[in-house]
Amino acid sequence: MLAIVALLLHPFLLIGLVLGSLYFYLTATFDFWKCRGVPYKKPTVLVGNFGPLLLFRQSLPEGVKEMYQWFKDERFFGVFRVRSPALILRDPDLVKSICIKDFSCFPYRGIPINNEDPLNEHLFHLEGRKWKSLRSKLTPAFSSGKLKRMFYLLVECCEELQKLISASCAADRTVEVRELATKFTIDVIGSCAFGIQINALTNEESEFHKAAKKLSRPSYKATLWRMLRTAMPRLYKLLGVQVIDPSVTHFFKDVVSQVISQRESNGVRRHDFMDLLLDLKNKGAVENETGSAQICSDEDAQAAKEIELDENAIAAQAFVFFAAGYETSSNTIAFCLYELALNQEIQEKTRREIRNAIKPLGGKLTYDTVQEMKYLDMVILETLRKYPSAPLLSRKCAFKYQIPNSKVELPAGMRVIIPIYGFHHDPNYYPNPAKFDPERFTEENKRTRHPNTYLPFGEGPRNCIGMRFALLQIKIGIISFLKDHQVEICDKSIVPIKFSRRSLVTTSEKGFWLAITPVS
């Protein structure tokens, strides 16, 4: 009888053993911060402190802001991503230490990649000497001189956007401005990065437009893995998860292969990003404005030998230029127009500056004229303050690190999270943070704030290499809308904005519907 009972209980004992082992594994790290005397939020099994985000109950900006407020009197505090401990910073001086002063200890983003996907080998993901080598090679490609030579490509796209805005007004004054902005940024980046006239503004069935939709609207599964891969890197690599749709990978590789073949066989130069990548491939360096090879320091020259740009590497850089640039810029344009629709006095002041700047030139845009629009600069900076594209950024310890002015030592491999959205909405740095106020970014007001409380493009050596291009693209997009048109809130406008819970960038859940009318 006892033998029969033992046999019946055997499966339950096995299940209990498995569940017990799993529970122990998932909770074994939960005393990590307690042992080090670091304040922390009690985690939950399976999700740690990120449950609302992992279950898509909360948007990333909202989640970051909530976490930032957990320990208002602390310089830093601990959290858990599933079972992995991470440190969240609240002190801008610590941000400066991590990103700039002690960068040698935090050179990594720590995003695991699967080598099976060639498009993962781009500047954003690379680490170590490969990253340093590629960064040193690509930095000259984003100089003001290079952007100035590309400017005519942006003007061509601007003219097409203005035509479409006028046509949209004639058909229906209610417009989803993010959709128009997305088509514009796809055309700009397609032209500047790939040397292709995509015509996304007039052709919604273009392959680039289809690829963009797949990138900006990933499945819930892909989005979940993007959030989990830094918390569970071994499982991510073991399962060979691909967060980029394979069809998108094949598309970009084919496009780049065709462009390279055409450029090298025809000897055509457009002064675009693809020309610069081909210079790196064939000459090993980007030419400066005088036509000679860019002069690098001995350290950069040594680093540059660590990586060679083959066709796959070129495809990866062109891909990240597209993926990182079109959606973030189009969202910023849309958020800016949304705020200007709510703040008509600011909109009118911005339009007046635009018109006054281009009037002496017969209404034409030049690179220097756009750069001189200082109030437009302030409007965009405030948009990026209130709606930073990346709600957070993170760095990973390369070796043990003692947090300045504390007894806490972080082990190698520890992830440090910088809550950008939290800093940008902290009333200690930005009084009445919900208010849209470009005057925060006068030169005088900027000097009163800690510089590391404003981080829309990151900070330090791993900041956004394409920042100047992104700002230029955003300016041209906003000028296209405001020069001859007024944007206003309409019945379909959602006020206040509801953030998407599925996106890892700051964007609206339901779009940006505004009324657009011509102005004389």
Side-chain angles (χ1 to χ4, degrees):
M1 186 66 180
L2 291 175
I4 295 174
V5 172
L7 189 62
L8 290 173
L9 288 176
H10 179 72
F12 295 102
L13 290 173
L14 182 61
I15 293 171
L17 181 62
V18 170
L19 292 177
S21 299
L22 180 61
Y23 179 83
F24 176 79
Y25 172 76
L26 291 171
T27 61
T29 59
F30 283 2
D31 63 347
F32 183 89
W33 294 119
K34 182 179 181 180
C35 293
R36 287 163 175 77
V38 175
Y40 70 100
K41 186 84 168 180
K42 185 178 179 180
T44 302
V45 179
L46 291 178
V47 294
N49 299 118
F50 287 71
L53 299 176
L54 295 175
L55 298 174
F56 301 104
R57 293 175 179 170
Q58 191 177 46
S59 70
L60 189 55
E62 292 166 331
V64 169
K65 183 179 179 181
E66 182 180 300
M67 288 182 185
Y68 181 84
Q69 295 171 341
W70 282 346
F71 296 91
K72 293 184 178 181
D73 298 324
E74 301 292 343
R75 297 167 61 221
F76 54 85
F77 61 92
V79 292
F80 293 87
R81 299 168 301 116
V82 184
R83 68 185 296 274
S84 301
L87 191 76
I88 294 185
L89 305 183
R90 296 193 82 260
D91 180 356
D93 283 326
L94 284 182
V95 174
K96 182 177 180 180
S97 294
I98 299 299
C99 293
I100 303 173
K101 291 172 62 178
D102 300 321
F103 173 76
S104 60
C105 188
F106 294 89
Y108 308 139
R109 295 188 192 276
I111 300 174
I113 60 175
N114 287 321
N115 295 328
E116 293 81 7
D117 188 346
L119 295 188
N120 270 323
E121 291 286 320
H122 52 67
L123 190 63
F124 189 84
H125 281 165
L126 288 176
E127 297 182 345
R129 293 197 65 86
K130 277 191 175 183
W131 166 78
K132 183 172 177 59
S133 170
L134 192 57
R135 178 85 184 201
S136 67
K137 285 187 173 187
L138 290 179
T139 295
F142 293 93
S143 67
S144 57
K146 298 296 184 187
L147 295 182
K148 199 168 185 177
R149 295 182 79 175
M150 286 185 199
F151 187 74
Y152 79 98
L153 298 171
L154 280 85
V155 172
E156 290 175 358
C157 297
C158 171
E159 292 170 351
E160 290 301 314
L161 176 58
Q162 289 173 339
K163 291 177 185 176
L164 189 57
I165 293 170
S166 297
S168 299
C169 288
D172 184 354
R173 290 184 177 180
T174 302
V175 177
E176 209 289 86
V177 294
R178 180 178 57 185
E179 184 65 22
L180 286 183
T182 297
K183 292 176 180 178
F184 165 69
T185 56
I186 289 173
D187 269 3
V188 168
I189 295 175
S191 182
C192 294
F194 296 89
I196 298 173
Q197 289 184 319
I198 298 171
N199 299 320
L201 283 161
T202 54
N203 178 17
E204 292 192 9
E205 296 303 312
S206 72
E207 291 302 316
F208 268 90
H209 201 267
K210 292 178 181 177
K213 284 185 176 180
K214 290 179 181 178
L215 287 170
S216 61
R217 299 171 190 170
S219 65
Y220 282 104
K221 179 183 176 181
T223 303
L224 184 61
W225 267 115
R226 285 179 178 178
M227 291 191 284
L228 283 175
R229 59 182 171 175
T230 54
M232 307 172 71
R234 293 180 182 175
L235 184 61
Y236 170 76
K237 290 187 176 183
L238 179 66
L239 296 178
V241 177
Q242 290 193 13
V243 294
I244 302 172
D245 190 308
S247 65
V248 174
T249 300
H250 293 312
F251 168 69
F252 278 102
K253 285 189 64 179
D254 289 345
V255 167
V256 169
S257 180
Q258 292 172 23
V259 171
I260 291 175
S261 178
Q262 291 171 1
R263 296 283 176 98
E264 293 186 335
S265 60
N266 299 331
V268 175
R269 290 188 67 84
R270 298 178 78 244
H271 303 296
D272 56 16
F273 189 60
M274 188 57 68
D275 274 352
L276 303 177
L277 288 174
L278 287 174
D279 284 345
L280 288 177
K281 174 178 176 285
N282 298 323
K283 302 176 183 178
V286 173
E287 291 182 351
N288 59 27
E289 273 58 65
T290 64
S292 59
Q294 186 76 22
I295 299 174
C296 302
S297 67
D298 291 342
E299 185 180 1
D300 285 345
Q302 180 61 35
K305 296 177 182 179
E306 297 289 328
I307 189 170
E308 296 297 331
L309 278 186
D310 57 14
E311 197 167 287
N312 279 342
I314 289 177
Q317 309 325 310
F319 165 75
V320 77
F321 189 92
F322 179 87
Y326 88 90
E327 186 179 16
T328 53
S329 293
S330 61
N331 278 321
T332 300
I333 292 170
F335 276 122
C336 184
L337 294 173
Y338 166 80
E339 285 290 346
L340 293 178
L342 289 170
N343 299 275
Q344 289 293 321
E345 290 184 7
I346 297 174
Q347 180 181 162
E348 182 54 39
K349 186 174 181 179
T350 308
R351 182 183 299 105
R352 190 162 55 245
E353 180 188 57
I354 292 169
R355 288 184 163 186
N356 290 341
I358 63 178
K359 186 176 180 180
L361 303 172
K364 292 184 178 180
L365 283 175
T366 67
Y367 178 84
D368 292 330
T369 301
V370 172
Q371 297 301 89
E372 290 167 5
M373 297 181 187
K374 299 305 179 185
Y375 190 71
L376 177 59
D377 275 342
M378 291 161 57
V379 168
I380 293 171
L381 292 176
E382 173 66 351
T383 302
L384 289 167
R385 194 277 307 173
K386 194 170 179 183
Y387 308 101
S389 296
L392 58 83
L393 64 85
S394 64
R395 296 289 185 265
K396 189 175 79 170
C397 262
F399 44 85
K400 289 181 181 180
Y401 179 75
Q402 178 107 21
I403 297 177
N405 302 316
S406 82
K407 296 180 180 180
V408 179
E409 184 178 79
L410 301 180
M414 174 57 56
R415 183 172 296 278
V416 175
I417 296 172
I418 299 169
I420 297 174
Y421 194 88
F423 279 114
H424 285 196
H425 289 79
D426 189 330
N428 292 317
Y429 309 123
Y430 301 97
N432 193 7
K435 181 182 179 181
F436 185 80
D437 182 11
E439 297 299 323
R440 300 181 201 272
F441 290 93
T442 62
E443 290 302 317
E444 181 181 356
N445 285 336
K446 284 194 291 186
R447 284 194 292 269
T448 66
R449 284 192 302 271
H450 195 298
N452 294 115
T453 60
Y454 186 72
L455 304 159
F457 294 99
E459 184 58 280
R462 288 209 79 135
N463 70 345
C464 176
I465 193 174
M467 176 178 66
R468 282 193 284 191
F469 180 88
L471 288 172
L472 183 61
Q473 177 178 227
I474 291 166
K475 287 180 187 177
I476 296 295
I478 294 170
I479 290 169
S480 301
F481 276 94
L482 294 187
K483 184 168 73 74
D484 299 315
H485 297 87
Q486 181 174 356
V487 293
E488 298 173 293
I489 296 298
C490 63
D491 291 341
K492 296 179 71 174
S493 303
I494 297 175
V495 183
I497 284 284
K498 293 182 180 178
F499 293 131
S500 170
R501 291 174 292 177
R502 182 172 163 179
S503 176
L504 296 187
V505 299
T506 306
T507 189
S508 167
E509 184 78 53
K510 301 292 184 180
F512 299 80
W513 290 94
L514 299 174
I516 302 182
T517 54
V519 292
S520 57

